[in-house]
């Protein structure tokens, strides 16, 4: 009888340990999952707060200021030859409404103008298209690619929503559609981040090779991150269900 009681106690202790282990494992999964969800959604939460703080007009103003700042910072890179760009080029680049193809065409025309001018000037005064100018073009093409891709996702989301029967256009469905679009945007952002980081690394390598200050790399990165956050807030202000 005593052996049976001891055996039963051992069995119960083993069961309790198994149950405790399972509970700890579940808790660990929930904590890790919670951290992942928090990190994934924190940018959206911050953007919602920013949208509430700034409002539509404030966000538009902030977006214009950052676009101007990006333009001025990029063109301030050492050894860049901004003379190849005319007033119309500067305006179009600052407006940020060009496609990647249009951006490439703009720089190609600028290069041709520079070449035509060079043929009429001495070597010392000629306006040359430098390696830094190539990098500047890449920055603008990447920006156009991201913005164009974002516009494509917005159209895709609108078309998908319009195709739903009226009976399915509930508030819950609107939130689900908004979250789906945010997911698309997050994937696009990850692609853009990877390309931007590679481009910034290339710029940093070029600056170091020429013995120049690399602080502009951090400044461009900071502007880029802020531009994304403001753009995210603008989209939430315009499209997120209220």
């Amino acid at each position: 009888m005593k052996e049976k009681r001891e055996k039963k106690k051992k069995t119960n202790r083993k069961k309790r340990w198994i149950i405790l282990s399972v509970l700890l494992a579940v808790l660990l999964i929930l904590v890790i999952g919670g951290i992942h969800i928090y990190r994934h959604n924190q940018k959206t939460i911050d953007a919602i707060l920013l949208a509430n703080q700034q409002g539509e007009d404030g966000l538009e103003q902030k977006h214009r200021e950052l676009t101007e700042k990006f333009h001025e910072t990029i063109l301030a890179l050492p050894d860049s030859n901004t003379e190849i760009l005319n007033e119309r080029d500067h305006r179009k680049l600052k407006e940020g409404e060009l496609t990647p193809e249009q951006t490439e065409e703009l720089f190609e025309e600028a290069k041709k103008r520079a070449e035509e001018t060079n043929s009429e000037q001495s070597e010392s005064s000629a306006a040359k298209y430098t390696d830094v100018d190539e990098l500047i073009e890449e920055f603008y093409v990447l920006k156009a690619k991201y913005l164009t891709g974002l516009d494509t996702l917005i159209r895709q989301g609108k078309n998908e929503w319009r195709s739903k029967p009226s009976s399915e256009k509930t508030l819950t469905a609107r939130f689900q559609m908004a979250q789906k679009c945010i997911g698309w945007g997050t994937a696009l952002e990850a692609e853009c981040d990877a390309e931007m980081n590679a481009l910034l690394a290339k710029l940093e390598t070029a600056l170091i090779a020429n013995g120049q200050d690399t602080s502009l790399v951090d400044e461009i990165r900071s502007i880029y991150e802020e531009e994304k956050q403001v753009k995210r807030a603008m989209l939430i202000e315009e499209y997120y269900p209220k």
Side-chain angles (χ1 to χ4, degrees):
M1 180 68 73
K2 187 176 180 181
E3 287 183 11
K4 286 184 177 179
R5 284 199 299 270
E6 289 297 324
K7 190 174 181 180
K8 187 175 182 181
K9 285 181 181 179
K10 287 181 180 179
T11 301
N12 288 338
R13 281 198 297 271
K14 188 176 181 180
K15 286 181 178 178
R16 284 197 297 271
W17 175 247
I18 291 172
I19 292 171
L20 180 60
S21 298
V22 171
L23 288 173
L24 286 172
V26 171
L27 180 60
L28 182 61
I29 291 170
L30 288 173
V31 169
I32 293 173
I35 291 172
H36 174 74
I37 291 170
Y38 173 81
R39 287 174 177 171
H40 178 73
N41 289 330
Q42 188 58 42
K43 289 181 180 179
T44 302
I45 293 169
D46 291 342
I48 291 172
L49 292 174
L50 182 61
N52 289 334
Q53 290 168 0
Q54 297 287 336
E56 185 178 350
D57 293 340
L59 289 172
E60 286 286 354
Q61 177 62 29
K62 187 67 176 175
H63 181 255
R64 285 193 295 271
E65 291 172 358
L66 286 169
T67 300
E68 182 75 25
K69 188 177 181 181
F70 176 83
H71 186 69
E72 292 175 354
T73 303
I74 287 290
L75 295 184
L77 288 172
D79 296 331
S80 65
N81 184 12
T82 57
E83 289 84 359
I84 68 168
L85 300 174
N86 59 30
E87 186 177 340
R88 172 179 168 276
D89 295 335
H90 284 287
R91 187 182 72 253
K92 283 186 171 293
L93 289 172
K94 283 190 285 187
E95 288 173 352
E97 296 180 358
L98 298 174
T99 65
E101 294 76 19
Q102 289 170 333
T103 304
E104 290 174 349
E105 184 180 346
L106 180 148
F107 278 93
E108 189 61 36
E109 290 175 355
K111 281 185 279 187
K112 287 179 181 179
R113 287 198 305 271
E115 289 170 359
E116 290 171 359
T117 303
N118 290 348
S119 63
E120 302 171 0
Q121 295 178 337
S122 65
E123 182 67 22
S124 60
S125 62
K128 298 178 181 178
Y129 193 76
T130 66
D131 291 341
V132 175
D133 295 321
E134 291 280 1
L135 281 174
I136 289 173
E137 179 179 349
E138 288 185 58
F139 274 112
Y140 276 106
V141 170
L142 178 58
K143 186 172 183 177
K145 177 181 175 182
Y146 176 70
L147 292 175
T148 302
L150 199 55
D151 288 339
T152 300
L153 292 185
I154 291 171
R155 285 196 300 272
Q156 183 179 339
K158 285 181 176 180
N159 291 336
E160 186 171 326
W161 178 255
R162 291 184 186 122
S163 67
K164 287 181 178 292
S166 298
S167 59
E168 294 181 14
K169 293 181 179 179
T170 62
L171 182 59
T172 300
R174 289 180 65 194
F175 274 104
Q176 289 173 343
M177 190 70 233
Q179 288 299 113
K180 186 175 183 178
C181 290
I182 287 173
W184 292 341
T186 300
L188 180 64
E189 180 184 356
E191 292 177 13
C192 187
D193 284 348
E195 292 188 49
M196 175 60 82
N197 288 333
L199 193 51
L200 287 171
K202 188 190 296 187
L203 173 60
E204 186 171 29
T205 299
L207 292 173
I208 292 172
N210 293 324
Q212 293 162 337
D213 183 16
T214 60
S215 61
L216 276 174
V217 174
D218 292 330
E219 190 173 348
I220 293 169
R221 181 181 285 109
S222 177
I223 295 170
Y224 169 70
E225 291 295 337
E226 195 172 358
E227 275 191 299
K228 286 195 303 177
Q229 187 67 343
V230 169
K231 187 66 175 177
R232 188 181 291 110
M234 291 173 70
L235 293 173
I236 285 174
E237 174 69 18
E238 185 172 358
Y239 296 108
Y240 206 78
K242 298 177 177 65

